[in-house]
Amino acid sequence: MKNLLPFIISFFLPGAGQFILKDFKKGGIILLVDIVSTYLIFNIDFLDLIPLWFPHIIIMIWALFDIFDKIEKRDGKKSATRYLAFSLLIVVILFPLTLTLLTTGIFKGAEFITNEYVNEDRTKEEMNKISTELSLYKNHYGVFPENYESFIRRKPIWGSWKADS
């Protein structure tokens, strides 16, 4: 894991992986170049033609190759290649998939809560149904039911009315 972490972190923040490998000078240079290039693209008008992600990708590749070289010298080419491949798998497939599932779950959950519990029209519609059923009960028996819970248990479909009342 200690060899995988520099690769993964460098995908998001080029230069940070060098800090983990204790190469503070190279890590500082890469990080500074990334920050300066991002600043220049935001603040110099003619650089608006360059997509914001482009310099980051170039600098990220530089940082990854540097980490690969360091790990290759220390642990061998096979080990460095394996860590690079695993980090690519994590960053390119697993991280976006996890993020997608998380955001989808949050948005679908919020949509469900909004539709089921916060939807004013649905609540009014259910309250009108409850009122209608209570009126029909009163018309049939001459009085309102003594126990509301036993009234709604008469039909299983009315079970959600207990929470709405």
Side-chain angles (χ1 to χ4, degrees):
M1 184 66 182
K2 68 177 182 162
N3 290 332
L4 193 59
L5 192 60
F7 283 114
I8 294 171
I9 290 178
S10 287
F11 275 103
F12 302 106
L13 188 62
Q18 280 74 10
F19 285 111
I20 291 173
L21 293 175
K22 308 277 192 264
D23 188 356
F24 300 110
K25 182 179 178 184
K26 178 88 59 105
I29 291 169
I30 293 172
L31 187 59
L32 185 65
V33 168
D34 190 42
I35 291 169
V36 168
S37 67
T38 303
Y39 175 80
L40 291 175
I41 287 177
F42 274 128
N43 293 312
I44 297 180
D45 291 335
F46 71 88
L47 291 178
D48 287 344
L49 301 173
I50 299 173
L52 179 63
W53 53 265
F54 186 72
H56 179 77
I57 295 293
I58 301 295
I59 296 165
M60 178 188 67
I61 291 169
W62 173 29
L64 290 173
F65 274 113
D66 183 62
I67 292 170
F68 183 84
D69 285 342
K70 285 178 181 23
I71 293 177
E72 181 183 26
K73 287 176 187 171
R74 190 182 67 202
D75 298 340
K77 187 171 188 162
K78 185 177 180 181
S79 181
T81 304
R82 185 174 62 233
Y83 289 125
L84 179 61
F86 280 134
S87 66
L88 283 171
L89 174 75
I90 290 169
V91 171
V92 173
I93 295 173
L94 296 178
F95 183 75
L97 182 65
T98 304
L99 192 61
T100 301
L101 291 173
L102 179 67
T103 55
T104 302
I106 289 171
F107 286 117
K108 288 296 182 182
E111 182 181 324
F112 175 78
I113 289 171
T114 301
N115 289 339
E116 291 297 318
Y117 299 109
V118 186
N119 188 341
E120 187 176 335
D121 293 332
R122 184 170 184 261
T123 302
K124 286 179 182 178
E125 182 181 310
E126 281 188 345
M127 294 308 285
N128 286 335
K129 283 182 187 177
I130 293 170
S131 177
T132 302
E133 290 298 327
L134 285 171
S135 295
L136 288 172
Y137 185 93
K138 183 179 187 234
N139 289 342
H140 186 267
Y141 294 107
V143 293
F144 285 111
E146 289 181 30
N147 186 343
Y148 180 72
E149 285 187 33
S150 63
F151 168 72
I152 61 175
R153 273 193 238 121
R154 289 177 35 213
K155 292 187 179 177
I157 197 165
W158 293 350
S160 67
W161 290 3
K162 183 178 179 183
D164 291 341
S165 61

